[in-house]
Amino acid sequence: MSTITTISIAFLLSFVILVGKRVFYNATITHQPTPLAVPRLFCPTTLLNFNGADGKPVYIAVCGHVFDVTPCKHFYGSGGPYENFAGRDASRGLALQSFDKEVLTQDLKGPLDNLADINATQLANLESWEEYFSGKYTVVGWLVAEDH
């Protein structure tokens, strides 16, 4: 099986799982998310464009899934407490419970952060955040390395 096919199957399974989570958590959604039209792949440099500036939506990546957090732009957009995560992979920051820019990947064209150095408590934090985002926001795509 080719690498492309394997990746495609993995993305499809992730999407099916997230749709299942969406149905299960539907009662806790506080806004009506826009339906997922066509999921797409985002590399860190393209994701950076979705930071809420110039009327664009606000997207955040968590564990490889890209979420549309625009309905809570006051949290994730300019001036909000999570603004450093807008248009970025927020996984490390959420795992470490840090909003500092220093926890964000600096080399956007390099490999994705594999989070290999986080401990069990930090991983549990991240899993909790991923569950929260999956239950509240629409998945608009997946984060992939620049050289995918």
Side-chain angles (χ1 to χ4, degrees):
M1 189 179 299
S2 75
T3 302
I4 300 285
T5 303
T6 303
I7 291 171
S8 298
I9 290 170
F11 284 140
L12 179 61
L13 288 174
S14 295
F15 180 73
V16 169
I17 289 168
L18 284 172
V19 168
K21 282 184 177 181
R22 167 83 56 216
V23 170
F24 179 77
Y25 288 105
N26 195 30
T28 63
I29 295 175
T30 58
H31 71 281
Q32 290 299 320
T34 55
L36 180 60
V38 178
R40 63 179 271 199
L41 301 179
F42 293 88
C43 59
T45 55
T46 55
L47 181 61
L48 192 58
N49 294 315
F50 296 92
N51 61 7
D54 301 322
K56 290 184 182 176
V58 182
Y59 294 169
I60 290 178
V62 179
C63 296
H65 298 104
V66 178
F67 295 94
D68 181 354
V69 297
T70 306
C72 291
K73 197 174 196 173
H74 57 285
F75 284 113
Y76 302 102
S78 180
Y82 300 96
E83 72 179 329
N84 288 342
F85 296 155
R88 302 295 299 266
D89 181 1
S91 301
R92 178 169 293 276
L94 294 172
L96 300 177
Q97 297 183 10
S98 172
F99 308 127
D100 298 333
K101 285 186 177 183
E102 292 77 32
V103 300
L104 298 173
T105 303
Q106 300 304 311
D107 180 9
L108 298 182
K109 293 188 183 229
L112 296 180
D113 185 354
N114 65 10
L115 305 171
D117 60 333
I118 65 172
N119 63 38
T121 301
Q122 294 162 341
L123 180 59
N125 288 337
L126 180 56
E127 289 171 346
S128 176
W129 276 106
E130 181 186 21
E131 186 175 327
Y132 171 77
F133 277 84
S134 295
K136 185 167 182 168
Y137 301 110
T138 302
V139 174
V140 293
W142 296 275
L143 186 65
V144 296
E146 195 76 29
D147 62 357
H148 70 280

